[in-house]
Amino acid sequence: MTQKSVGSASVGEGELLWIPSKAFKDAAQITRYLDWLDREKGLTFADYDSLWQWSVAELDAFWRTIWEFFNIVSDGEIDKVRTGSTLEATRWFDGTRVNYAEHLLRHEGQAAPGETALVHSTELRPLATMSWEELGGKVRILATRLRELGVVPGDRLVSYMPNIPETAIAMLATVAIGAVWSAAAPEFGAKTVVERFAQIAPKFAFVADGYSFNGRSFDRRSEVATIAAHLPSLEKLIWLPYLGLDREIEADVPIINLQDLLASPAVARSDFEYTRVAPEHPLWVLFSSGTTGVPKAIAHGHQGILAEHLKVMSLHCNLSPGKRMFFYTTTGWMMWNSVMAALVTGASAVLYDGSPVHGGVDMLWRMAAETGTTSFGASPTLVQNMKKAGVRPGELYDLSALESVIVGGAPSTPETFQWFFETIRDDLWVTSQSGGTEVCSGFVTALPSLPVYAGEIQCRGLGIDAHVWSEDGDEIVDEVGELVITSPMPSAPLFFWGDADGSRYHESYFTTFPGVWRHGDLAKINARGGVYIYGRSDSTLNRFGVRIGTAEIYRVVEQIPGILDSLVVCCETPDGGFYMPMFVSLEAGRVLDDGLKATIAGHLRDDASPRHVPDEVHHMPAIPYTLTGKKMEVPIRKLLMGMPAEKVVSRDAMANPALLDWMLEFAQRPEVVARRSAAA
């Protein structure tokens, strides 16, 4: 690989930083696919853009090649690649029955004895590995026991556990028998978890007694008891004593020890049968951030997610046997599912649970060196914290195994890209990617055979008909507009759970541009196909790379005595960080003193999670609403980011126009200007 030196000066957006060497391109998985297309299908392409154009113009042909190239194992053959007349009504791979977990564990039959599937550590557990044979064996044991306990295809099984191998085993075992998986991170408060899980009526729940973060252990037995008490469908709790605490909780359902289940007799591969399911059968339920109310329960299917993950993890992320993928995430975020998806390529998944700065701000790089990580992922915010601390990973650790970096979860700056080249080495493949929980993948992504430009996402994903449109619905190039998807993709939701008529799904993405998916990202696609994401065009908050819905915060804060109303926004700053202020209106006679601020922070931390705590809390005379009764989150966010008022909001659209003057004054306060003007 080669790389254009950028020196120590600040790099500009779009500046060329890296060019892949011929050897790197020749060894890439995308090159294998192109050679196969030429050999088997008689298809040749001059460059990536022509390949992408074909993939979206000939969707059926493209996705059939993915099915064939990766040799997806199925009962039945594809009758039709697609059925349905609209993007939201399309169904994929009619006539097939597959199992996602079967493909994640397929490499077990090909791996050498002792070859690693999982590399894992936590603040409480030392670094260790798990072989493909051990992982597959434990999954078969647990899946068999779950069947014996009465779990049948379609049952929902949920998790309230840390990012540890037991959670991975539970997910794979659940999916292996056709049950439906869903997860929440253990730092989520009970109310936040119940709002999610109650929608899908789970039969069993995998729960841990607690978790550790930044050197502190957090007992979650009370939260587990509350969650269980508010899930009437629950029949059993499967308990993991992660902190070593006993099961002294009140529950109306039996409690079974997960370790006891895993200690059951082994089940040979030849004696285990995966439950292969039809395209309409749910794989898992992921939850949206909850911006507009109760989080959306997004159901995906086995076939669609499998085809998409094979494509993106292999062709775009360039994973294959012998490689190791890490991304700093929790079990409640789609990136956990993406890390687990590395297994579908035969690569290893690297798991870590705990604070990313436990033992030092360079902790993740120490772990990357110790684990032999080849693909390292983190949010831009974490990277900025390392940069500000003066960390130079390449001088501290042996990162010779590291091949690529994925910066995701939030927009990346050119300076973020530059930092990797300057502080690790100049032959890294540094990438940024962007997608969504709704598709559990990336719309715009990386490619090992393309150059890297500062701050630029390399390309639109194969088979992803992504464009940027103006407010009038016209395609624009080299201009900022709305990111839209104009053709179906396999990993789009099957449905939202409980959304019987599909109205919530439709209203979430298809009302701005009828028949077209509007994702809610501000984006730019340039003439060479590179992509820039500039943040959310809606009101979703982004906290340390994890998206948070404003409604989750409001439901907590507005229960606090003395608080009448609240509004919270999150602004991206030029250094890749975030500024998240909250505004509250108070009952007459109440004062926003340090005590009330501490109460707000405490409730958010306990009832939601530490990520929900704002940077600042300010008293506002009243919360601004539109005439139609909607909180003015997006206009306030844009004002705080320095956009002119006349381009953001009309006084005539406000229920209380006088509040705009208060907000304009606040936006010009020196400390607010300094926050939005922070330099990297």
Side-chain angles (χ1 to χ4, degrees):
M1 291 176 279
T2 62
Q3 180 260 333
K4 179 183 177 183
S5 175
V6 297
S8 59
S10 180
V11 65
E13 181 180 274
E15 184 174 340
L16 178 64
L17 298 179
W18 177 87
I19 301 172
S21 68
K22 183 179 184 301
F24 188 67
K25 288 193 291 185
D26 288 348
Q29 298 303 306
I30 187 67
T31 303
R32 287 184 54 245
Y33 173 65
L34 286 167
D35 290 345
W36 181 87
L37 286 177
D38 184 19
R39 184 176 65 255
E40 300 294 330
K41 304 296 180 181
L43 295 169
T44 59
F45 300 95
D47 52 26
Y48 179 75
D49 185 65
S50 61
L51 174 64
W52 177 81
Q53 293 285 355
W54 168 77
S55 76
V56 297
E58 303 291 340
L59 281 177
D60 290 11
F62 167 70
W63 286 107
R64 189 180 287 274
T65 68
I66 293 298
W67 192 278
E68 295 176 6
F69 178 71
F70 289 107
N71 191 27
I72 291 177
V73 178
S74 168
D75 290 337
E77 300 294 331
I78 298 175
D79 293 332
K80 291 183 178 180
V81 175
R82 285 185 297 155
T83 58
S85 58
T86 65
L87 194 155
E88 55 190 302
T90 297
R91 290 294 177 261
W92 291 85
F93 307 115
D94 183 49
T96 66
R97 300 181 70 87
V98 307
N99 187 281
Y100 180 76
E102 180 177 8
H103 288 79
L104 260 63
L105 292 172
R106 183 162 56 169
H107 190 68
E108 180 192 354
Q110 306 161 9
E115 185 178 328
T116 298
L118 300 180
V119 187
H120 54 94
S121 66
T122 75
E123 291 185 3
L124 302 179
R125 294 176 173 178
L127 182 66
T129 62
M130 182 176 290
S131 69
W132 285 95
E133 182 180 21
E134 183 180 1
L135 176 61
K138 289 180 180 295
V139 169
R140 289 190 293 274
I141 289 171
L142 182 57
T144 301
R145 292 305 313 272
L146 290 174
R147 281 172 169 159
E148 293 170 353
L149 290 169
V151 177
V152 298
D155 284 343
R156 277 76 66 202
L157 274 59
V158 297
S159 165
Y160 189 57
M161 302 231 293
N163 185 11
I164 52 179
E166 290 91 336
T167 310
I169 293 164
M171 184 274 281
L172 289 165
T174 296
V175 172
I177 61 175
V180 182
W181 172 262
S182 194
E187 68 265 25
F188 282 14
K191 183 178 180 181
T192 301
V193 176
V194 170
E195 284 177 339
R196 286 160 166 76
F197 290 167
Q199 296 183 61
I200 62 174
K203 187 171 187 175
F204 289 6
F206 294 93
V207 297
D209 55 359
Y211 69 99
S212 180
F213 191 86
N214 208 22
R216 291 182 57 200
S217 292
F218 294 85
D219 183 347
R220 304 306 271 176
R221 289 177 297 178
S222 175
E223 284 75 13
V224 169
T226 300
I227 292 166
H230 288 83
L231 296 176
S233 62
L234 206 62
E235 295 181 9
K236 287 181 176 61
L237 286 175
I238 301 180
W239 181 272
L240 176 68
Y242 176 64
L243 297 183
L245 305 177
D246 59 39
R247 292 181 293 183
E248 290 183 359
I249 66 168
E250 293 185 7
D252 294 330
V253 296
I255 301 176
I256 304 173
N257 191 293
L258 176 57
Q259 294 169 328
D260 291 343
L261 294 179
L262 292 173
S264 301
V267 179
R269 292 181 66 227
S270 58
D271 294 334
F272 184 81
E273 184 174 337
Y274 290 92
T275 301
R276 296 176 181 171
V277 298
E280 66 272 14
H281 188 97
L283 161 65
W284 54 44
V285 175
L286 305 182
F287 288 94
S288 70
S289 55
T291 299
T292 56
V294 176
K296 296 184 284 285
I298 303 166
H300 294 127
H302 287 241
Q303 281 84 339
I305 289 291
L306 176 59
E308 174 61 28
H309 281 176
L310 281 165
K311 180 209 72 178
V312 74
M313 290 296 164
S314 179
L315 305 185
H316 288 290
C317 295
N318 204 34
L319 296 178
S320 59
K323 296 187 179 181
R324 296 182 173 187
M325 178 185 181
F326 167 79
F327 197 101
Y328 178 72
T329 184
T330 69
T331 53
W333 186 22
M334 61 146 284
M335 283 308 303
W336 183 81
N337 303 68
S338 296
V339 171
M340 292 302 301
L343 299 177
V344 82
T345 70
S348 304
V350 180
L351 311 180
Y352 169 71
D353 194 77
S355 167
V357 296
H358 181 59
V361 72
D362 59 337
M363 178 267 159
L364 293 182
W365 294 111
R366 181 172 66 252
M367 188 195 68
E370 293 173 349
T371 59
T373 290
T374 61
S375 177
F376 175 93
S379 73
T381 303
L382 289 175
V383 175
Q384 288 301 324
N385 289 340
M386 297 174 196
K387 179 179 179 182
K388 291 176 181 178
V391 174
R392 300 185 66 85
E395 298 175 5
L396 296 172
Y397 304 109
D398 177 7
L399 297 173
S400 56
L402 191 64
E403 176 182 279
S404 65
V405 168
I406 300 173
V407 187
S412 267
T413 66
E415 291 78 13
T416 299
F417 278 42
Q418 181 188 33
W419 181 83
F420 289 107
F421 290 123
E422 290 185 341
T423 64
I424 301 178
R425 64 175 188 272
D426 63 6
D427 65 345
L428 271 181
W429 172 34
V430 178
T431 75
S432 180
Q433 307 189 33
S434 184
T437 301
E438 300 88 344
V439 296
C440 198
S441 187
F443 297 117
V444 292
T445 183
L447 199 79
S449 58
L450 290 178
V452 169
Y453 298 89
E456 184 173 309
I457 299 172
Q458 287 177 287
C459 62
R460 290 171 279 192
L462 290 172
I464 310 301
D465 205 358
H467 303 270
V468 171
W469 282 12
S470 69
E471 292 182 358
D472 297 326
D474 298 321
E475 183 166 12
I476 53 179
V477 178
D478 276 322
E479 295 181 41
V480 178
E482 290 280 354
L483 180 68
V484 299
I485 311 299
T486 58
S487 299
M489 61 181 295
S491 64
L494 293 177
F495 53 82
F496 291 171
W497 209 280
D499 182 28
D501 63 358
S503 59
R504 195 178 187 201
Y505 181 30
H506 177 83
E507 291 166 2
S508 296
Y509 308 106
F510 300 103
T511 56
T512 302
F513 305 114
V516 171
W517 180 297
R518 170 194 171 272
H519 191 58
D521 278 344
L522 291 173
K524 178 178 71 177
I525 298 177
N526 59 28
R528 63 171 170 259
V531 185
Y532 295 87
I533 302 293
Y534 295 109
R536 299 293 293 169
S537 61
D538 59 20
S539 60
T540 302
L541 309 175
N542 200 324
R543 202 68 167 147
F544 306 113
V546 177
R547 289 178 175 176
I548 296 172
T550 55
E552 296 183 9
I553 290 180
Y554 299 148
R555 286 193 292 270
V556 174
V557 172
E558 291 167 18
Q559 298 299 314
I560 299 173
I563 295 179
L564 293 175
D565 205 353
S566 62
L567 182 145
V568 64
V569 297
C570 190
C571 307
E572 295 84 3
T573 60
D575 64 355
F578 300 95
Y579 170 48
M580 194 169 100
M582 172 184 287
F583 304 92
V584 296
S585 61
L586 305 176
E587 294 176 354
R590 292 300 301 265
V591 176
L592 183 63
D593 54 17
D594 290 343
L596 182 55
K597 291 179 181 179
T599 298
I600 293 170
H603 277 273
L604 285 169
R605 187 177 297 109
D606 294 338
D607 294 339
S609 83
R611 292 183 174 87
H612 291 69
V613 179
D615 295 316
E616 301 168 355
V617 182
H618 300 276
H619 177 228
M620 194 174 188
I623 298 302
Y625 283 82
T626 66
L627 291 173
T628 56
K630 295 182 179 179
K631 289 184 181 182
M632 299 181 63
E633 297 161 330
V634 172
I636 297 306
R637 172 182 171 273
K638 291 180 178 179
L639 284 175
L640 294 183
M641 293 183 70
M643 295 182 67
E646 62 271 15
K647 293 187 177 181
V648 171
V649 61
S650 168
R651 289 180 184 269
D652 294 337
M654 298 179 65
N656 185 350
L659 290 173
L660 181 58
D661 295 324
W662 188 96
M663 205 67 235
L664 287 171
E665 183 276 328
F666 179 87
Q668 294 305 314
R669 293 180 185 179
E671 64 271 24
V672 178
V673 173
R675 290 298 295 267
R676 68 169 175 260
S677 303

